[in-house]
Amino acid sequence: MNAPSYSEALEFAIDRSYEINLDMLRSRNLHLDTHNDYLVGTYPPLKAMGDLNAERLLTQVASSIDLYFHIPFCNQYCTFCHFAKEINPSSERVERYLVALNKEMSWSDAALAGRDVETAFFGGGTPSFLTNHQLKTLFDMTNQRFDLSRAEVSFELHPSLVKHADAADRISTLLRGGVNRFVLGVQSLDWNILRILNRGHGVEEVIQTVKLLNEMGVENLSLDLMYGLPQQTLRSWYDSIIGLLDMGIEKFNVFPLMFKSTDPVARHLARGRYQFAGAKERIIMHFMAEHILTKLGYRHGPIFYWTKRSQPHSVQQRRKYDSWNDNNLVPFGVGGFGYMSQCQFYNEADLDRYLSRVEAGEKPVWRGVVLSQDDLMRRTLMFALRSSGVLLSRFEREFGVSVEEYFCRELEILREAGLVCISNDGVLSLTAAGNINSGAVSLLFFSDNVLERVAYNDGRITDKRTDLLEKHDYSPAARYGSSAEMQAVFR
């Protein structure tokens, strides 16, 4: 491997960072400070949702669907994680959850019959927390209801899996169950950072997990890597990337650390407990990764996703960002969010409420919203910009209106700031500066109506450190404002 040296990668990244005019972007509200920045996971976001009749979800199910299964169990509480989880539950609790998961699946049997399953994703939490017997139970019931034989089936692994004597047996069970893509949460190869994050694994577990997967013939493996972590330096960031490249990893999910007031790491930031990269340093880390991976023949997929393969990074990510509302994401499990029949919705995020509602025979929808035509256009634009871009002619065919007419004001602002461009073949895309500021770009496309609903529901939250709406709202809307306000909230 002929990777760029640390000094070369750093010099390149510093030079590129000068292209990002932070002062100008801040003056135009197009750069979100570190504690305010967040990607749009759903649109409209959770704080803009209300009550939704679950039956509405079954009225216009698409012909092809994507499935998500949430496994909310972990061995430890990672300081940056805000997804629904329970730490070290009893085996009885896990078994009860699997029974509920199966019962929730039965609710939509008739509506989903005959639909082509394009992707299935098992996330968490820590899905690999399950014992081998529990994994068999999970995949037996899943395969009884869905034909996964032609689907991309992804499963999240934790590196601590290799500490178990039956690690190979568990992976064999997953492979027999239909898993053909694994996602390994590494985050860093710096032991001190892993300790601060309370990851529950070290570098050796990462090495051994990758080795075991290779030995068992796994060919589709993506690794999660994060920058902006506590005590992370430019050097340790470089070393983590190179260390994983030395292992032969061909797919990366490279994310910046994002803060939520419900997470311990946010309080660490507010209280100055550890050193965190500032905005400029995070930009340099972004360009270091880009330079190293590009030099070694990796291609950008959707924003933050890299692959050395000729095929896309993953079908799941392509479907998420580029399907333009014609796919349905069907979630099962506590805290899962989905998109069905032009509705964005969340399942109950509290495990006890989820269990009681499913056991009572209900679909455990917590909150949701039926999208208007305006919502659909904005959702399409936000997601497609983070991937292959918006083909202007397709947008006009789908919605009967020109992007440049409907979003004239927003596009003028973004063009003048250098955050978007339109190619000769009519594709609206983010620039390098736009990629780095994609949260702010998305926020610009939020409708006034959605922002008003977000503000109303946000204003009713009494404690942002514990509130479930705050914890599970994946958007930059109604964030914390100034650093002083953030410190007050996070303390």
Side-chain angles (χ1 to χ4, degrees), residues 68-76 78 80-87 97 121-130 138 154-158 183 185 187 199 224 332-337 471-472 474:
Y68 175 74
F69 302 88
H70 191 77
I71 309 299
F73 307 119
C74 298
N75 291 112
Q76 72 290 317
C78 299
F80 60 85
C81 177
H82 39 261
F83 297 111
K85 58 192 169 293
E86 192 167 287
I87 308 303
Y97 181 78
F121 193 100
F122 294 81
T126 306
S128 55
F129 174 91
L130 300 182
L138 174 64
S154 304
F155 193 93
E156 288 185 341
L157 294 176
H158 191 280
V183 181
Q187 319 314 346
R199 280 293 294 159
D224 289 341
F332 298 107
V334 61
F337 62 83
K471 188 183 185 81
H472 295 280
Y474 308 125

Side-chain angles (χ1 to χ4, degrees), residues 22-30:
L22 288 175
D23 290 337
M24 177 273 290
L25 293 172
R26 284 172 176 144
S27 70
R28 302 182 186 186
N29 294 320
L30 293 174

Side-chain angles (χ1 to χ4, degrees), residues 404-455:
E404 294 175 284
E405 290 178 9
Y406 197 84
F407 295 107
C408 176
R409 179 188 65 86
E410 293 88 347
L411 291 183
E412 182 179 358
I413 292 170
L414 294 172
R415 276 169 154 170
E416 287 182 355
L419 300 184
V420 298
C421 62
I422 297 178
S423 67
N424 291 334
D425 52 353
V427 176
L428 174 68
S429 303
L430 294 175
T431 62
N435 276 325
I436 290 171
N437 294 282
S438 59
V441 172
S442 293
L443 189 56
L444 187 65
F445 288 103
F446 276 48
S447 72
D448 290 341
N449 177 269
V450 165
L451 288 174
E452 287 169 5
R453 299 203 310 265
V454 168

Side-chain angles (χ1 to χ4, degrees), residues 53-245:
N53 184 344
E55 297 299 325
R56 174 67 175 78
L57 303 176
L58 305 181
T59 58
Q60 301 176 49
V61 180
S63 59
S64 64
I65 59 175
D66 302 291
L67 307 175
Y68 175 74
F69 302 88
H70 191 77
I71 309 299
F73 307 119
C74 298
N75 291 112
Q76 72 290 317
Y77 194 128
C78 299
T79 62
F80 60 85
C81 177
H82 39 261
F83 297 111
K85 58 192 169 293
E86 192 167 287
I87 308 303
N88 291 319
S90 65
S91 58
E92 291 78 14
R93 179 81 160 173
V94 177
E95 299 291 345
R96 181 185 174 193
Y97 181 78
L98 292 177
V99 171
L101 199 63
N102 194 32
K103 188 168 185 178
E104 185 193 356
M105 281 191 263
S106 69
W107 176 81
S108 54
D109 274 348
L112 300 183
R115 264 55 181 191
D116 293 327
V117 178
E118 298 290 336
T119 70
F121 193 100
F122 294 81
T126 306
S128 55
F129 174 91
L130 300 182
T131 65
N132 195 33
H133 172 73
Q134 291 164 348
L135 289 171
K136 289 178 181 177
T137 299
L138 174 64
F139 279 89
D140 282 347
M141 66 190 197
T142 303
N143 281 297
Q144 284 174 7
R145 296 191 182 280
F146 300 104
D147 179 6
L148 304 181
S149 61
R150 295 185 299 277
E152 177 189 82
V153 183
S154 304
F155 193 93
E156 288 185 341
L157 294 176
H158 191 280
S160 62
L161 173 66
V162 293
K163 296 179 181 178
H164 298 275
D166 66 345
D169 291 335
R170 295 195 205 187
I171 293 172
S172 292
T173 295
L174 295 173
L175 292 171
R176 287 195 300 271
V179 175
N180 48 36
R181 175 176 175 252
F182 290 89
V183 181
L184 184 64
V186 174
Q187 319 314 346
S188 175
L189 290 185
D190 184 308
W191 164 245
N192 186 48
I193 294 173
L194 293 172
R195 177 188 59 80
I196 294 170
L197 297 177
N198 197 36
R199 280 293 294 159
H201 74 82
V203 176
E204 185 58 29
E205 284 80 13
V206 175
I207 295 171
Q208 292 304 317
T209 303
V210 171
K211 180 181 178 183
L212 177 60
L213 292 170
N214 287 336
E215 290 173 349
M216 299 190 69
V218 171
E219 297 181 349
N220 195 349
L221 172 64
S222 300
L223 263 64
D224 289 341
L225 198 56
M226 296 176 71
Y227 61 88
L229 297 171
Q231 300 299 107
Q232 189 176 50
T233 64
L234 296 172
R235 180 75 214 201
S236 67
W237 172 236
Y238 172 86
D239 289 343
S240 288
I241 297 172
I242 297 301
L244 294 173
L245 288 168

